[in-house]
């Protein structure tokens, strides 16, 4: 199942596309938008960390929280913005 969301953070837009397995796990995810992340390759690390995670607010929040605590900087966008963007996905089309 392919899902998409565009989430307007206070100062930026976060776009999320993801696919879920039949048992409700994230099998593929892409996060894009008009935000900056340092280091730049950290976004790929977040996507990789979310792959295989159960699509539930608790599990997604835990992974995003651990990611933000790893020293990644995302000016003007919060970890809650990322959680909301991911959890707000809906069927494409």
């Amino acid at each position: 199942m392919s899902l998409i969301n565009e989430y307007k953070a206070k100062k930026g837009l976060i776009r999320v596309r993801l696919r879920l397995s039949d048992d409700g796990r994230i099998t593929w995810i892409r996060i894009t938008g008009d935000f900056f992340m340092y280091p730049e390759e950290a976004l790929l690390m977040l996507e990789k960390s979310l792959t295989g995670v159960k699509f539930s607010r608790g599990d997604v929040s835990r992974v995003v929280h651990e990611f933000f605590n790893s020293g990644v900087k995302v000016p003007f966008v919060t970890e809650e913005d990322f959680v909301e963007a991911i959890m707000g996905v809906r069927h494409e089309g």
Side-chain angles (χ1 to χ4, degrees):
M1 159 182 0
S2 189
L3 305 166
I4 188 169
N5 187 29
E6 287 192 359
Y7 177 82
K8 181 71 172 123
K10 234 179 186 180
K11 291 196 176 186
L13 184 70
I14 303 170
R15 290 179 202 89
V16 177
R17 289 179 172 268
L18 63 80
R19 291 189 194 114
L20 296 176
S21 64
D22 291 338
D23 67 347
R25 295 190 177 274
I26 298 170
T27 59
W28 177 86
I29 185 167
R30 285 299 167 266
I31 302 170
T32 59
D34 61 355
F35 57 86
F36 295 98
M37 186 175 287
Y38 306 101
E40 289 180 27
E41 62 273 5
L43 188 56
L44 294 174
M45 293 172 7
L46 175 59
E47 292 170 344
K48 187 174 182 177
S49 296
L50 286 162
T51 302
V53 170
K54 185 165 179 59
F55 186 69
S56 70
R57 181 168 294 277
D59 290 344
V60 168
S61 293
R62 177 185 47 77
V63 170
V64 172
H65 179 72
E66 289 171 2
F67 174 75
F68 269 77
N69 280 338
S70 71
V72 172
K73 304 291 184 222
V74 190
F76 308 114
V77 182
T78 67
E79 75 182 63
E80 189 58 30
D81 289 328
F82 278 90
V83 172
E84 289 298 322
I86 295 165
M87 296 310 299
V89 295
R90 58 196 167 280
H91 287 282
E92 195 171 12

